[in-house]
Structures are given as C-alpha cells and as structure tokens.
Amino acid sequence: MSTAAVEKQGFGATLWDYLTTVDHKKIGILYLLGGGFFFLLGGLEAMLIRLQLMLPDNELIGAQFYNEIMTMHGTTMIFLAAMPLIFAFMNAIVPLQIGARDVAFPFVNALGFWLFLFGGLLLNLSWFMGGAPDGGWTAYAPFSIWSPTHGFDFYAIGLQITGFGTLMGGINFIVTIVNMRAPGMTYMRMPLFTWTALIASVLILFAFPALTVGLFLMTFDRLFGANFFVPEMGGNEIIWEHLFWIFGHPEVYILVLPAFGIFSEVITTFSKKRLFGYSAMVFATVLIAFFGFMVWAHHMFTVGMGPIANSIFAIATMAIAVPTGIKIFNWLFTMWGGNIRLTTPMLWAAGFIPTFTIGGMTGVMVAVAAADLQYHDTYFVVAHFHYVIVGGVVFGLIAATHYWWPTMFGKILNEKLGKWTFWLFFIGFHLTFFIQHFLGLMGMPRRYWKFLPGQELEVGNFISTIGALLMAVGTIILLYNIVKTTVSGEKSDPDPWDGRTLEWSLPNPTPHYNFKQLPLVRGLDPLWVEKTQGNGKMIPAEPVNDIHMPNNSFLPFMMSLGLFIAGLGFIFRTDSTMGYVGIVAGLVIFFGSMIIRSVKDDLGYHIHKEDLEEEGAGAE
C-alpha cells in the first residue's frame, strides 16, 4: 500500500506525513492504531470488572472506581474502539473495492479521524482530572445531571467531538460510494462489504444527530444550568432515554452490518464460491437497517410506555430475525459444496455463525416485553449484548485484521499464531458469556459492584472470569503476532488469498493514487471474472492520463486540537479563570484554522501521465 513508502523515511518525516495525510489508506491505518489502543484500554477495564466479580464479597477495587470502570468500559468499547475500527477497514478497503482513487472529501476524512482521536483523549483525561463518569455508559438522566464530579462533563463534550468525526465520516462514505464507483460497478455488482458500509453510513446519517442533540442538552444542563432532564424543574428524564436509544439501537447495526460484510467477503473467498443469494443478501441488509432503526424503544419496555407501544416495538424487534436468518442461511449455502480453506479469517467466520445465532435467539427472548420485565437489568442482558457485539463485531474485526493485513501492510500475519488467537479467544468468550445467561436467570443483577457468599453465584462468576483471562491471552498473542510480522514477516504476494474483488488486483505496495487507470468492471467479483476468462488482471476503462490528487494538510489536526482545548475550557470554566482562557484559545485555533482553509487556494497537484507510463501500463 502507498503507506509503505518505497523510499524509507526517517521517523520525523513519517510522523509528519501521518499528521498531515489525507490519503484514505493512511487514515485507515491511523483509525486502526487509535481504535486498537482504545480496544486494549477497554479490555483492561473489562478485566478489572471480571476480577472484581471473580469471588464473592471481593474488595479488589472500590465501589466508586468500579462504577467508573464499568461506565468507561462500555463507552470506550462502543464509541472509541468498535466504531473507529470499523472506520479503519472502511477507509482502507472501500475505495479500493469500488475502483476509486480516494474518498470524495479527503480533507474531511482526515478531520473525522482527528476529531475522533481528540474526543477520545478528552474523555479519558477524566481519569486524571477529577474522576471518570460513573453512571453507566448510557448516562441515564437525571443521575448523569446530578453526578457531582466532572466525569459526565468529559462524557458529554468528549463524545460530542468524537461524534462530529463519525458523522463526517458517514456522509463522506455515502458520497464516495454513490459517486465514485469505477465504470461498470453498478449497485448490484458492489462487494457486500461496500454495501454494508453504505447502509451503515446511512444509519450514521440518521442516528448520530439524535445523540448530538442529547449531548447538547446534557451539556447545557450540566454546565449552564438548563433543566431539560430535571423533573423538579419541569424537565423530563425520559427524553434522554429516547434520544439515547434512537441513536443507541441503530448503533448496534452500524457496527454489525459492516461485520456482516466482512464475513461475506471472507466466506466467499475461502469457499472459492460466489456468494449464495447475493441479491437477497443486499435486500436483507437494507431490511435489517430499516427495522434496526425503528425498534429503539424495546430498550424501554420497563419505563411504562403501555401495552400497545410495547407490542409494536416487540413485534418490530422480532421481525429483524427474518432478514438476519436469510443472511445466516446464505452464508451456510455459500460454504455448502465449496472448496473450503480453514485459514484464520475463515475460522473467525465459521465461529461467528453459531455465536451470533445464539445472540439473535436471546435477542428474540428479550424482545418479548413481558419476559423482558424479568430479564431487565440482569446478567442475561449482559450476556445477550456481548454475544451480539463481541460475537458479531469483534469476531468480524479480528477476521478483517487477518484477511486484509496483506493489503494494508504487505505481509501476512502468522497463521499458526492466528489460530492460537482464535481458539483461546473463542473458548474464552463462550466460557465468559454463555454462563452469564444463567447467572441472569438466577437473579444476578447487572452493574452491581459485588455479590455475597451463599447466593449460588460463585461458580458461574469464577468460570466467567477464567474465560475472560483466556480472551486476554488470545489478545496478547494477536499483539505478538502483529509485532512479529511487522519486524520479521516476509513480503506477501499482492493476492495471497486468490481474491475476487478489486483490492486484490492492486500491486503491493499500492500506489497512493490507487489505480493508474480506473478498471472496467464486468460483473460481480470483478477480479474473479477476469481470472476465469484468462486475463489475470483488470481491463482498464480509460487511457493513461494525468491524475489529480489532494495536498496534505495540517489543518484537520489543528481544528481538532482547538475543539479539544475549548472543551477543557468549558469543563473547568467555573473552577478557574484558566477555563475561560482555554475556551478563547481553543475557539481561536479552531475558527482560525477554518478561515485559513476557506481563504487559501489549495488546488492539489497532478501526477503526469509521462511519469505513470514509465511504470508500465495496465489497470493498476
């Protein structure tokens, strides 16, 4: 990939290159690094939770710290790990799969990454500046409004900044996929990963504004004394629940739909078959997104919405099982009769199917409003949620890491270590969470700091913690694999898996302009079409010509830094006059950078066709 420069650069030049890059492939790597860091941080928080609950009446960590750890684990994993890691692969792969030279708005793409990173750093600064948020990742009002520390101030402003970045990224991918597909790449020839990236981006477009509004209201309640969520002052705390879950439930599908796309790519490649029921898979994706957006209130069955509202949301929730079942059967039929290779990515895909099916079945159970009154706030819900998010999204992300590592870094992750990672993580996962269904049915409440001896919860919790330790060992082996491959791995073939889609047609490292000539797409799985017709490589759709590329820019970094400083200022403005200094300084940096961007002509540059011709012709 272009990120592996042909001529080696010094550390300073490489750092500056990444700080200013607008290349979608490098931004994908930045998302991978940022999201990977927060994934490890969220995993460490999860281990502390499980170690605290390993034994009855345990005093390993205090109650207040437990509340903070629990809140930050959920917030970090959803907003700062899973979401950016999905964006990592969308950035690295989608433009290549559709035959584009970049995303539609490279500058905005870079801005989206830096906003995510600075928002995440601001949120985690709360650990060192007075205490992290402590009321659960859902931040239910009015507790989140009354919480006396600055924790929920960091939550509201940090997530707001991160959310801006995600919204920008979603809009960018919609425009990119709609407008920048290569000649012949019709909608019904797009790879499933690109389809799911498009639908997830549409969900982002509609879901994130609800979170934005909610966080603005929370910010005004906490920092400026408004009372949107305070009942004594005429507010209504249920408004927060609606706003949060109008965002929160589609967020599950924003995360899991691209994971479905990843599994579709992996299963097709390693079964050496065209995806069974491609059209049905596309329409199932759209249906899941539609229903997923319409069922937010099933998180609120216990609020007291009434039997009619509960029934409508229950039926709509159960309906999601139909298109999801279509996908499960189509993946199985794709493997049926295929020439299956059990590589590491394929193992993750095979492990995902029964795991996610269990998550779906328990989802139907909690969709029954009457039964949910019993399950609610027990460990049954914790188990269901993790079977969906870890069994769907995390499995998909690790599969994608192994599958697309050669495209992103030019090397193959060690297969033996990859299989060790899979088996330890897979067994550990089921040990951890399967038994939590039964802990929930036995009445173990979620969010509690400790349980007492004699409640018959000892064995289940002990096994659950052992499983979590196995998952941690699997993750450490994955890290070791990445370091080992980076240091001593051999350069891989550009198409090591005998792939079917356009990203495998590119040389290794991929030029920063991606395609010398845009490819002509002549069917679904376009590279496979050319392979079966004996061409071996893509047919160009245009003559060699000058290529226009954007310039690097430091302004996205500066704009995000400005909002970070201003956010700190707003949080501490009542504690110190330095808070006001921070507000002014941050806003000056932010708006100053915007003005520079607006008035400065930045027309990019051209790569001349004479230079391209020297490298040889072909759709590369």
Side-chain angles (χ1 to χ4, degrees):
M1 190 165 235
S2 63
T3 48
V6 176
E7 292 182 11
K8 288 208 168 187
Q9 295 179 316
F11 175 76
T14 303
L15 179 63
W16 180 250
D17 186 29
Y18 273 85
L19 288 175
T20 60
T21 188
V22 294
D23 181 346
H24 71 94
K25 300 179 289 294
K26 292 181 182 175
I27 290 171
I29 290 175
L30 288 173
Y31 268 116
L32 194 66
L33 291 172
F37 168 75
F38 285 117
F39 178 78
L40 295 177
L41 188 61
L44 184 63
E45 290 158 356
M47 285 310 304
L48 284 173
I49 293 171
R50 280 317 319 163
L51 289 172
Q52 167 63 22
L53 295 175
M54 188 175 189
L55 300 169
D57 203 18
N58 199 356
E59 295 284 348
L60 179 68
I61 57 177
Q64 174 61 23
F65 187 52
Y66 179 88
N67 287 340
E68 294 174 3
I69 286 281
M70 182 197 65
T71 302
M72 288 297 284
H73 165 66
T75 308
T76 301
M77 282 302 199
I78 294 293
F79 293 99
L80 306 179
M83 197 76 225
L85 286 172
I86 290 291
F87 266 96
F89 294 110
M90 284 167 61
N91 264 287
I93 303 301
V94 167
L96 305 183
Q97 282 197 332
I98 63 171
R101 292 202 171 94
D102 206 329
V103 294
F105 308 114
F107 181 93
V108 173
N109 199 25
L111 180 59
F113 167 75
W114 290 113
L115 286 172
F116 140 68
L117 187 68
F118 277 106
L121 292 176
L122 180 65
L123 177 57
N124 277 277
L125 268 186
S126 60
W127 288 114
F128 312 102
M129 302 183 78
D134 56 357
W137 77 282
T138 52
Y140 280 161
F143 181 81
S144 56
I145 307 302
W146 292 338
S147 181
T149 71
H150 279 304
F152 276 108
D153 300 330
F154 281 99
Y155 177 99
I157 294 179
L159 290 190
Q160 192 72 281
I161 294 172
T162 294
F164 287 153
T166 305
L167 190 54
M168 288 178 188
I171 293 170
N172 209 348
F173 275 101
I174 293 172
V175 179
T176 300
I177 296 170
V178 169
N179 286 306
M180 297 180 69
R181 285 168 286 125
M185 176 72 80
T186 63
Y187 282 109
M188 295 311 284
R189 289 177 178 174
M190 289 198 313
L192 244 292
F193 179 63
T194 298
W195 255 114
T196 53
L198 173 62
I199 300 301
S201 299
V202 172
L203 282 177
I204 287 171
L205 181 65
F206 287 102
F208 267 73
L211 178 68
T212 302
V213 170
L215 290 173
F216 264 126
L217 297 183
M218 177 188 283
T219 304
F220 273 80
D221 265 16
R222 286 193 58 89
L223 297 183
F224 303 108
N227 292 297
F228 294 108
F229 302 130
V230 181
E232 291 81 355
M233 301 301 290
N236 187 340
E237 70 272 25
I238 302 300
I239 292 173
W240 168 261
E241 290 194 38
H242 278 292
L243 288 172
F244 184 85
W245 288 116
I246 287 173
F247 148 78
H249 196 75
E251 171 69 2
V252 174
Y253 297 94
I254 291 168
L255 298 176
V256 85
L257 284 178
F260 286 175
I262 291 165
F263 290 125
S264 298
E265 303 292 333
V266 168
I267 290 172
T268 306
T269 298
F270 295 111
S271 299
K272 230 169 184 174
K273 276 178 65 183
R274 176 178 166 151
L275 185 68
F276 186 90
Y278 171 84
S279 302
M281 292 291 261
V282 171
F283 288 113
T285 302
V286 176
L287 270 179
I288 291 171
F290 175 76
F291 283 126
F293 198 83
M294 303 300 291
V295 299
W296 78 90
H298 70 206
H299 292 270
M300 301 165 62
F301 282 152
T302 57
V303 164
M305 296 185 297
I308 295 176
N310 280 359
S311 300
I312 292 171
F313 282 103
I315 293 167
T317 304
M318 292 178 201
I320 299 176
V322 177
T324 308
I326 290 172
K327 281 186 167 289
I328 297 280
F329 280 110
N330 281 347
W331 286 319
L332 292 174
F333 286 133
T334 303
M335 288 189 272
W336 184 271
N339 184 15
I340 295 175
R341 287 175 289 163
L342 278 180
T343 58
T344 302
M346 189 64 178
L347 277 177
W348 285 102
F352 148 80
I353 290 177
T355 307
F356 192 81
T357 302
I358 295 172
M361 288 164 58
T362 52
V364 174
M365 291 173 70
V366 294
V368 180
D372 185 65
L373 291 170
Q374 306 302 314
Y375 302 137
H376 195 80
D377 279 338
T378 73
Y379 253 72
F380 188 90
V381 177
V382 176
H384 157 69
F385 181 73
H386 283 84
Y387 260 78
V388 171
I389 296 296
V390 180
V393 182
V394 176
F395 279 25
L397 289 169
I398 301 177
T401 303
H402 287 83
Y403 182 59
W404 279 313
W405 198 265
T407 306
M408 296 178 72
F409 298 100
K411 297 178 178 179
I412 298 181
L413 289 173
N414 184 288
E415 275 289 283
K416 189 174 180 182
L417 290 173
K419 287 171 181 170
W420 271 103
T421 299
F422 169 77
W423 285 113
L424 285 168
F425 198 97
F426 183 77
I427 294 170
F429 168 81
H430 285 282
L431 273 180
T432 304
F433 294 108
F434 190 73
I435 203 161
Q436 289 183 5
H437 293 109
F438 299 98
L439 288 171
L441 293 175
M442 291 163 67
M444 179 168 167
R446 61 194 291 198
R447 305 190 184 97
Y448 274 32
W449 167 45
K450 61 167 69 173
F451 59 94
L452 298 176
Q455 296 179 312
E456 300 183 353
L457 302 174
E458 290 92 336
V459 175
N461 274 294
F462 186 81
I463 292 173
S464 186
T465 302
I466 296 298
L469 289 168
L470 284 179
M471 293 168 71
V473 174
T475 305
I476 290 168
I477 292 176
L478 174 61
L479 285 179
Y480 173 69
N481 194 355
I482 289 172
V483 173
K484 182 174 183 290
T485 304
T486 304
V487 172
S488 60
E490 294 182 4
K491 185 179 174 184
S492 82
D493 187 88
D495 182 18
W497 311 121
D498 197 12
R500 309 170 72 88
T501 42
L502 285 178
E503 73 269 29
W504 304 109
S505 70
L506 290 162
N508 191 352
T510 304
H512 64 286
Y513 48 82
N514 293 351
F515 296 90
K516 190 183 301 175
Q517 297 163 273
L518 294 183
L520 179 66
V521 175
R522 301 198 295 164
L524 181 64
D525 295 344
L527 180 59
W528 192 256
V529 169
E530 302 304 333
K531 285 179 180 177
T532 54
Q533 297 191 6
N535 297 321
K537 65 176 186 177
M538 297 305 299
I539 298 172
E542 60 177 7
V544 179
N545 225 326
D546 290 356
I547 296 174
H548 179 257
M549 297 298 292
N551 286 319
N552 283 7
S553 175
F554 193 49
L555 292 177
F557 181 94
M558 291 301 295
M559 290 169 71
S560 306
L561 177 65
L563 283 183
F564 173 85
I565 295 171
L568 276 176
F570 277 113
I571 292 170
F572 290 105
R573 70 185 173 86
T574 55
D575 300 343
S576 165
T577 52
M578 288 304 292
Y580 289 99
V581 174
I583 293 171
V584 173
L587 292 180
V588 166
I589 293 171
F590 177 71
F591 286 109
S593 301
M594 283 184 71
I595 290 170
I596 292 171
R597 172 68 181 172
S598 302
V599 300
K600 181 185 172 188
D601 286 333
D602 184 357
L603 303 177
Y605 65 98
H606 284 87
I607 304 169
H608 298 294
K609 69 175 185 178
E610 292 78 11
D611 298 326
L612 295 169
E613 283 170 340
E614 283 180 13
E615 301 173 21
E620 296 172 349

